Amino acid sequence: MLTNLAGGFEKDEDRHIAYRILEKAEELLKNEANVLHVHFFYNEKIILYYKDSDKPQYLEKAIEACRQQIALAPKAAAAFKVEYKEFPLPAHRGYEQLASILESQKKYNEAIELCEQAEKQ
């Protein structure tokens, strides 16, 4: 619920509220058993922090959220296959966003390796 609430504060002037909500949600996430809830939390965290990626501290938080979601990817993929049998796996924002960031930082080898990892998964 907090993840969805945070998404409602995405405007520039309200985003500081979203960040506080995300911080609280992440504290509570430690007790979350549903891997898809965790996956979608990181998805929202990526979206919100990347909106302020022109500020280094928020870019770092977006990168961290990408890496957290990527670490969860195998478990999330398995859960998606069980929950949504009739649908193919959706795109993975963590991989996509991090690859884009690495490319913009001219870290081409890292971006290629990340894309190869995503393809294998």
Side-chain angles (χ1 to χ4, degrees):
M1 181 182 89
L2 289 177
T3 302
N4 292 334
L5 180 62
F9 294 94
E10 64 181 41
K11 291 182 182 176
D12 289 345
E13 64 271 11
D14 296 333
R15 208 164 302 125
H16 67 282
I17 299 168
Y19 295 150
R20 292 189 65 206
I21 294 169
L22 286 177
E23 287 173 17
K24 184 62 178 176
E26 197 155 21
E27 284 177 32
L28 299 173
L29 201 62
K30 295 171 188 161
N31 299 321
E32 182 58 60
N34 186 318
V35 70
L36 292 180
H37 290 174
V38 178
H39 169 85
F40 288 122
F41 166 79
Y42 290 133
N43 196 69
E44 192 63 34
K45 185 177 175 182
I46 293 165
I47 291 169
L48 288 169
Y49 279 110
Y50 192 72
K51 286 180 183 282
D52 284 325
S53 63
D54 58 322
K55 299 171 186 121
Q57 72 270 27
Y58 294 117
L59 177 60
E60 284 305 313
K61 288 190 178 277
I63 290 170
E64 174 190 14
C66 289
R67 293 192 187 282
Q68 289 170 310
Q69 192 182 49
I70 288 167
L72 192 64
K75 290 180 183 177
F80 269 109
K81 288 176 183 176
V82 169
E83 186 77 22
Y84 305 102
K85 297 175 187 93
E86 63 277 1
F87 297 105
L89 288 175
H92 194 284
R93 184 177 308 274
Y95 277 116
E96 290 177 350
Q97 191 67 67
L98 185 55
S100 177
I101 291 168
L102 292 171
E103 183 180 7
S104 71
Q105 294 174 336
K106 299 187 183 338
K107 296 179 180 178
Y108 301 118
N109 289 336
E110 284 183 62
I112 290 168
E113 288 175 15
L114 184 69
C115 290
E116 288 172 348
Q117 177 186 340
E119 189 174 75
K120 286 177 187 173
Q121 285 189 4

